Amino acid sequence: MASFKTNYLLVCFSFMVSTLSVKACVHTVEAAVPEELKAGYIISEVNLQHCLNNTHLELTTSDPDFAIQQDGLLYAIHSTTIHSGERAFVIWLQDQQSHQKWKIDVTLSVEHNMVKREVNLKRSKRRWRPLPFSIRENEFPPFPKEIQQVQSDSSQNYDIIYKIYGQGVNLPPIGLFSVVPETGMLKVHRAVDREQIAEYKFFAEARTKDGIKRDRDLDITVKVEDENDNRPEFTDVVVLSVPEHSEIGAIVGQVNATDRDEPGTLFTQMAYKIISSTDLFSIQSETGIMYTTSTALDRETKDTYELTVEATDCKGQHYGLSNTGTVRIVLTDINDNPPTFKANKYEAKVEENQKDVLILRIPVEDKDLFNTSNWKAKFVIKKGNENGNFRIETDPVTNEGLLYVVKPFDYEKNKIVKLEVAAENEAELVGTKSTWATVPVDVNVINVDEGPEFETPNLFLRIKENEPNGTLIGIYKALDPETKSSDGIKYYKISDPASWIQVEKNTGKLLVAGNMDRESSFVTNGMYNITVNAVDQSSKTGTGTVEIYLEDENDNNPIITNKDLVICEHYGQLGYVKVEAEDKDAEPLSSPFVFSFPKDHDKNWKITNEKATSMHLEQATELPTGTYNVPVIIGDQQGKGEQQIVTVRICKCISGQCVASQTSAALGVWGILALLLGIALLLMLLCILLTCFCGKKKEKVDLDNGAEAVLIKSNTEGPGEEVMAPNFKMSAQQTALEQESQFLQQSGGGLQDIRLSDFQNVNNVYGSQTLGSGMQNDPSSFLSATNSTFQTNYGQQFGSGIQHYADKNGTSIWRTNGLVIDQKLNGFVTEHNDRFAEDISHVYGFEGRGSFAGSVGCCSDLNDDSGLEFVNTLGPKFRTLAQVCTKK
């Protein structure tokens, strides 16, 4: 009975544990798992048959590390770790048709937590038999093949059904393994390759026929045993390098072959050997390191070697697999070849006086690697360039030496220059006993006809300033380089800033031509320079400089630089000012100065605090505000000086500035008298002007008959203006009423509203003057002909008397003419015939005799007493005026 109870409890406990992972749509799932879960680990199988409509379920989890399949299989999709001994997440089920949801809470506990719980229950979990086993790769058919049997301890009491899942079962590669459900025999269904998958991990579970788990799932690891089925492999080409002429045993590099077989086994242990025929290199069998076996490796002879190397696994045993690869060995360059010259000697030519010119290219050869420091040449002039006349460079493209002349040669001094040039490299020579090569270079100087040369390029002269004009200060001669003679050479100045020097054309004598003042702005530190040009008979020139040092003379007195000074008045204190002086002469003809007063000074001032170029001028007594002129004598070290006036102003100050004294703005007696005199003169001038403009009487002027028929030039080249009004003023005897009636008759009915009152009692708007007894002579009364006005400029004498005209009704005539102009303008608008002038020349049938006066138009209707009878005696000259006014 006790045994039955025990078995019953064990069965119940086993059933309880197994049902933790199989729920019929429960709310929670609890499972014990390892602390570290690998991808593909199956946690539990959840029974979803009674959960909603299980044919249209959408299954998701809240933890991205886990997933659930439609058959309820819950597994890990990523490798993960269960931290803190427990992990929880949610499985969501949703019916895609009804959109109903169901939530299942999942709690994963680490296995040792479960063990503790079992300890508390005094119950141990059943264990499967250990199953360490492996399979060989590349097995031959037939398949499937039995590989191992798994068996649960619960199979002693129950009929167990075995099932496997995981990698190689229901996860890729799918269908590789299977199990016989009743016996637990594992089978493999095809050959495996270790180089693709080295081991397989899947799980086995044991259930009773009623689906109850009796044991925890067993994780099964199947290792794949390696076979030597892979040959060693090389990269395409193994490239190694070593310097040429290396010592024997120098390391060239290492050759490495790879093998896909299992590392650390005999199948991946290589042995190397060189199968090419060579005595220059060797290889270490175990490591693949290559060495040099000769010093005859010359890059200039052969720069690359290609060798075939064989690698065999299984340490080179006869049963090992082998393969070959190509090793390319490149010899790197060293500077073992110095540059060599192509010729044994070089020659060049250069004209004298030339500089900065290329005279020779020196080619060299170098067998070292092109365009490296071992190949690039560097040229050095070993001999012959002691004076620095040459410069040599390297052409970066051709590697040639470029020889330049940088300082000119004189044929008379150097006809040929011998050089020795060496060719080196940028890098030092190594691995050879050769030395740098040298070559002689002869440079021939070509003679040219040169210009004259001065005996010295810079002639230095020392003279005193202020020498009188015409003083000879020196001779600056030039010589012909070929003849060493100065015959026929002329001298000219190129520059003489102050025009102080005269250069004699034929002799080169230097004469003073101006006051040479050492203190002039043209002199710098006592030096004055001129430039002289020498020209020979072939017009070739040479240039020289004359440097003249002017010795100082005491020709300048000390001068006060601040003569207007201010002393601010302070009650009870005596002020002073600082007086400064300068002397343009140099020492000892200048400072320190001696300051003193003239003998007759007023004792109001005294000199204190004397220094080399300044002193204090101090009040000797208290003086009132005002301006004081203080005489001071300043002398230099030689006693040369003169009396000078220092103006000192004593005033009240604010912030060091004088304040202007307040003065009265009232005028004095003389100011009032000057003001009255000016007013009187202004009144007198005004009276004179009034008298001139208003008080003159009209004067009569007798006009000479020679004025008859005179045509006055008006610069008019065409017909005159069309006028309607008469060209002549009415006489003074004609009454205003007659003027009005005549005007109305000529102007037509358009002017009937004009009244005599409009023309009377109106003064002339222009100032008027009379000539003689009333003849008008004021140009302002000469109204413009373009406005059809009357002309009153000149009185005329006809017959035996003088007719005088007055202009008292000039304003009335002005207004009348205005009305006539309006009528004319209206005529032009309407194109009426009266728009033309009535006093133009008319054409009539010829009656055998012409008129001397011609037609005068509107003027012909004047009465005999109108004073216009003179028009009948104008003569033929008047015809020209009439023709000008004729309408074309």
Side-chain angles (χ1 to χ4, degrees):
M1 185 68 180
S3 176
F4 173 76
K5 289 182 179 181
T6 303
N7 292 333
Y8 176 79
L9 290 174
L10 291 174
V11 170
C12 291
F13 179 75
S14 177
F15 176 78
M16 180 189 68
V17 173
S18 63
T19 56
L20 286 175
S21 57
V22 181
K23 299 289 183 179
C25 201
V26 295
H27 291 280
T28 60
V29 173
E30 295 180 357
V33 296
E35 185 176 1
E36 293 186 4
L37 298 180
K38 295 185 178 181
Y41 182 89
I42 297 177
I43 300 170
S44 176
E45 184 174 0
V46 182
N47 189 352
L48 303 177
Q49 293 181 356
H50 303 288
C51 293
L52 304 177
N53 185 359
N54 58 6
T55 61
H56 300 92
L57 287 179
E58 181 180 357
L59 306 176
T60 58
T61 63
S62 62
D63 194 324
D65 291 332
F66 302 93
I68 186 170
Q69 297 182 357
Q70 289 291 333
D71 59 356
L73 184 65
L74 180 64
Y75 63 98
I77 60 175
H78 300 113
S79 297
T80 184
T81 302
I82 307 299
H83 297 288
S84 303
E86 190 174 89
R87 189 164 178 176
F89 58 94
V90 175
I91 299 175
W92 290 100
L93 290 76
Q94 181 175 0
D95 190 339
Q96 296 181 0
Q97 293 181 348
S98 63
H99 300 289
Q100 293 181 340
K101 286 187 177 182
W102 187 264
K103 183 179 76 168
I104 299 176
D105 294 322
V106 179
T107 302
L108 303 181
S109 301
V110 180
E111 280 187 350
H112 60 78
N113 292 339
M114 294 285 295
V115 171
K116 290 182 180 179
R117 183 169 58 184
E118 292 170 3
V119 171
N120 293 334
L121 295 174
K122 306 298 183 181
R123 175 75 165 81
S124 297
K125 179 68 177 175
R126 294 181 183 272
R127 305 300 301 167
W128 293 50
R129 294 177 182 175
L131 297 171
F133 62 91
S134 61
I135 59 177
R136 295 182 63 85
E137 66 173 335
N138 303 321
E139 287 280 1
F140 294 102
F143 291 101
K145 290 186 177 183
E146 296 180 351
I147 54 176
Q148 186 63 275
Q149 184 179 15
V150 294
Q151 188 174 8
S152 171
D153 292 343
S154 60
S155 62
Q156 299 177 359
N157 300 318
Y158 302 97
D159 292 333
I160 298 299
I161 303 300
Y162 297 96
K163 180 180 179 181
I164 60 175
Y165 58 89
Q167 185 182 18
V169 184
N170 59 338
L171 295 177
I174 298 175
L176 180 61
F177 299 102
S178 65
V179 64
V180 177
E182 293 80 8
T183 62
M185 177 60 69
L186 297 175
K187 296 182 179 182
V188 61
H189 291 263
R190 57 183 178 271
V192 296
D193 187 357
R194 193 207 66 84
E195 285 69 42
Q196 292 183 355
I197 300 177
E199 65 179 16
Y200 296 86
K201 292 184 178 182
F202 53 91
F203 302 91
E205 65 177 8
R207 294 176 181 269
T208 58
K209 292 184 178 180
D210 55 2
I212 299 175
K213 276 190 177 183
R214 293 301 177 180
D215 277 306
R216 288 181 299 167
D217 295 348
L218 177 67
D219 54 328
I220 302 173
T221 299
V222 179
K223 291 186 177 182
V224 180
E225 297 180 2
D226 187 30
E227 287 189 351
N228 191 16
D229 56 344
N230 292 278
R231 294 179 180 275
E233 295 179 355
F234 290 93
T235 56
D236 292 339
V237 177
V238 179
V239 180
L240 304 176
S241 63
V242 63
E244 62 175 332
H245 299 295
S246 295
E247 298 291 336
I248 296 176
I251 295 177
V252 178
Q254 186 175 13
V255 178
N256 287 313
T258 59
D259 196 315
R260 297 180 60 197
D261 290 325
E262 186 174 1
T265 64
L266 185 64
F267 301 148
T268 57
Q269 295 180 11
M270 305 294 174
Y272 300 93
K273 68 178 180 179
I274 299 173
I275 61 178
S276 299
S277 176
T278 179
D279 57 353
L280 301 177
F281 303 97
S282 63
I283 189 169
Q284 189 176 14
S285 176
E286 294 80 9
T287 61
I289 298 176
M290 300 189 69
Y291 301 90
T292 60
T293 57
S294 173
T295 60
L297 297 173
D298 188 1
R299 191 201 67 83
E300 288 73 35
T301 302
K302 186 176 181 180
D303 61 352
T304 303
Y305 295 87
E306 287 192 357
L307 304 178
T308 302
V309 176
E310 181 183 69
T312 306
D313 59 16
C314 297
K315 295 184 178 181
Q317 297 296 328
H318 65 279
Y319 50 82
L321 301 179
S322 63
N323 202 352
T324 60
T326 300
V327 177
R328 181 178 300 157
I329 300 176
V330 178
L331 300 183
T332 59
D333 187 38
I334 63 173
N335 192 20
D336 57 337
N337 295 282
T340 59
F341 294 99
K342 293 183 177 181
N344 296 327
K345 183 179 181 180
Y346 294 93
E347 291 186 357
K349 297 179 181 180
V350 62
E351 293 182 356
E352 63 175 333
N353 302 319
Q354 282 191 334
K355 64 177 181 178
D356 297 323
V357 292
L358 175 65
I359 63 171
L360 181 64
R361 282 181 171 267
I362 305 175
V364 293
E365 291 181 345
D366 197 316
K367 295 180 181 180
D368 290 319
L369 187 61
F370 175 77
N371 209 26
T372 62
S373 60
N374 300 329
W375 175 84
K376 293 179 181 178
K378 182 176 67 174
F379 295 89
V380 180
I381 301 175
K382 296 292 187 178
K383 297 179 182 178
N385 194 31
E386 289 75 13
N387 295 327
N389 295 88
F390 298 95
R391 181 184 81 247
I392 192 165
E393 298 176 351
T394 303
D395 189 322
V397 177
T398 64
N399 210 30
E400 294 176 322
L402 307 178
L403 184 62
Y404 292 88
V405 173
V406 294
K407 289 175 62 176
F409 285 101
D410 187 352
Y411 175 79
E412 287 69 32
K413 297 179 180 178
N414 296 288
K415 294 180 176 57
I416 185 170
V417 180
K418 294 183 176 294
L419 302 177
E420 182 179 305
V421 177
E424 303 176 357
N425 288 126
E426 293 181 0
E428 294 294 330
L429 284 174
V430 293
T432 181
K433 297 180 180 180
S434 301
T435 59
W436 303 122
T438 61
V439 66
V441 178
D442 292 343
V443 179
N444 297 302
V445 181
I446 301 174
N447 187 26
V448 296
D449 186 11
E450 301 173 279
E453 294 180 355
F454 285 96
E455 295 174 347
T456 174
N458 297 283
L459 176 63
F460 180 80
L461 299 177
R462 187 183 188 97
I463 65 173
K464 292 184 178 181
E465 66 173 330
N466 303 321
E467 287 286 353
N469 291 350
T471 301
L472 177 64
I473 62 174
I475 300 176
Y476 198 22
K477 280 191 175 185
L479 301 175
D480 190 305
E482 282 77 22
T483 64
K484 303 300 180 182
S485 173
S486 61
D487 294 341
I489 297 178
K490 308 295 182 182
Y491 303 91
Y492 304 92
K493 285 191 304 182
I494 296 178
S495 68
D496 183 7
S499 300
W500 285 345
I501 304 299
Q502 176 187 349
V503 179
E504 285 194 357
K505 180 178 180 181
N506 297 320
T507 63
K509 291 182 178 181
L510 306 176
L511 305 175
V512 176
N515 182 24
M516 303 183 71
D517 187 3
R518 186 182 183 277
E519 290 72 39
S520 171
S521 59
F522 296 104
V523 179
T524 303
N525 298 325
M527 296 298 298
Y528 179 74
N529 298 337
I530 68 170
T531 306
V532 180
N533 199 16
V535 183
D536 62 13
Q537 295 178 352
S538 62
S539 298
K540 295 187 180 297
T541 62
T543 304
T545 302
V546 181
E547 299 176 351
I548 304 173
Y549 181 78
L550 297 177
E551 296 179 354
D552 192 22
E553 287 191 345
N554 196 8
D555 56 343
N556 293 280
N557 293 327
I559 301 298
I560 296 176
T561 58
N562 53 343
K563 293 186 177 182
D564 296 326
L565 303 170
V566 175
I567 295 178
C568 292
E569 185 180 40
H570 296 284
Y571 182 74
Q573 295 182 7
L574 299 178
Y576 68 91
V577 291
K578 183 178 181 180
V579 179
E580 296 179 338
E582 66 176 3
D583 193 329
K584 294 182 179 180
D585 293 325
E587 294 184 0
L589 306 178
S590 58
S591 61
F593 302 136
V594 177
F595 300 89
S596 62
F597 290 116
K599 295 181 180 180
D600 56 348
H601 75 287
D602 55 9
K603 309 296 183 181
N604 289 331
W605 302 88
K606 60 181 178 180
I607 295 174
T608 61
N609 196 23
E610 287 190 59
K611 293 184 179 180
T613 59
S614 66
M615 59 87 174
H616 287 179
L617 184 60
E618 186 176 346
Q619 294 176 246
T621 60
E622 191 169 338
L623 300 173
T625 58
T627 302
Y628 298 88
N629 293 324
V630 183
V632 178
I633 299 175
I634 305 177
D636 57 20
Q637 292 187 50
Q638 311 302 322
K640 182 176 175 58
E642 62 182 357
Q643 178 176 311
Q644 302 178 57
I645 299 299
V646 179
T647 302
V648 182
R649 182 182 177 189
I650 301 177
C651 61
K652 294 182 180 180
C653 299
I654 296 179
S655 300
Q657 300 293 328
C658 282
V659 179
S661 60
Q662 298 181 353
T663 58
S664 175
L667 292 176
V669 175
W670 291 106
I672 295 174
L673 290 177
L675 181 60
L676 293 177
L677 180 60
I679 294 174
L681 291 175
L682 183 60
L683 292 175
M684 185 181 296
L685 180 60
L686 182 60
C687 292
I688 293 173
L689 292 175
L690 291 175
T691 303
C692 292
F693 285 102
C694 302
K696 284 191 177 182
K697 296 181 180 181
K698 296 182 180 180
E699 298 179 356
K700 295 181 180 180
V701 177
D702 295 335
L703 299 178
D704 188 7
N705 288 339
E708 291 185 359
V710 175
L711 181 62
I712 301 174
K713 183 178 180 180
S714 63
N715 293 328
T716 301
E717 298 180 359
E721 300 291 333
E722 298 180 358
V723 295
M724 291 294 295
N727 281 341
F728 303 96
K729 278 193 174 181
M730 299 300 178
S731 64
Q733 288 83 1
Q734 188 174 5
T735 63
L737 182 59
E738 292 174 349
Q739 296 176 24
E740 182 180 10
S741 64
Q742 286 185 7
F743 179 77
L744 294 176
Q745 290 175 4
Q746 295 176 7
S747 59
L751 302 175
Q752 297 298 322
D753 294 333
I754 299 175
R755 296 291 182 267
L756 178 62
S757 59
D758 295 332
F759 301 95
Q760 294 177 347
N761 301 325
V762 180
N763 294 327
N764 191 354
V765 294
Y766 297 95
S768 56
Q769 297 179 358
T770 58
L771 302 177
S773 61
M775 175 61 69
Q776 182 70 24
N777 195 35
D778 186 1
S780 63
S781 66
F782 184 90
L783 302 179
S784 172
T786 58
N787 293 328
S788 301
T789 61
F790 296 100
Q791 298 182 2
T792 63
N793 289 55
Y794 301 97
Q796 304 288 344
Q797 181 177 2
F798 302 97
S800 60
I802 299 175
Q803 180 67 43
H804 304 282
Y805 297 94
D807 61 346
K808 294 181 180 179
N809 59 345
T811 304
S812 300
I813 296 173
W814 177 280
R815 292 187 177 183
T816 302
N817 290 340
L819 296 175
V820 174
I821 291 172
D822 292 339
Q823 181 184 9
K824 286 291 183 180
L825 294 175
N826 185 49
F828 275 104
V829 173
T830 60
E831 296 186 356
H832 197 270
N833 288 334
D834 60 2
R835 69 183 183 275
F836 301 108
E838 295 180 356
D839 56 346
I840 64 176
S841 178
H842 297 275
V843 179
Y844 296 96
F846 184 72
E847 297 179 357
R849 181 183 178 185
S851 172
F852 288 98
S855 177
V856 294
C858 61
C859 299
S860 63
D861 62 349
L862 296 175
N863 294 329
D864 292 340
D865 57 353
S866 62
L868 299 179
E869 61 273 11
F870 65 93
V871 298
N872 295 323
T873 62
L874 291 178
K877 294 182 179 180
F878 186 73
R879 187 178 296 109
T880 303
L881 179 61
Q883 290 176 354
V884 173
C885 299
T886 302
K887 178 181 179 183
K888 301 293 184 180

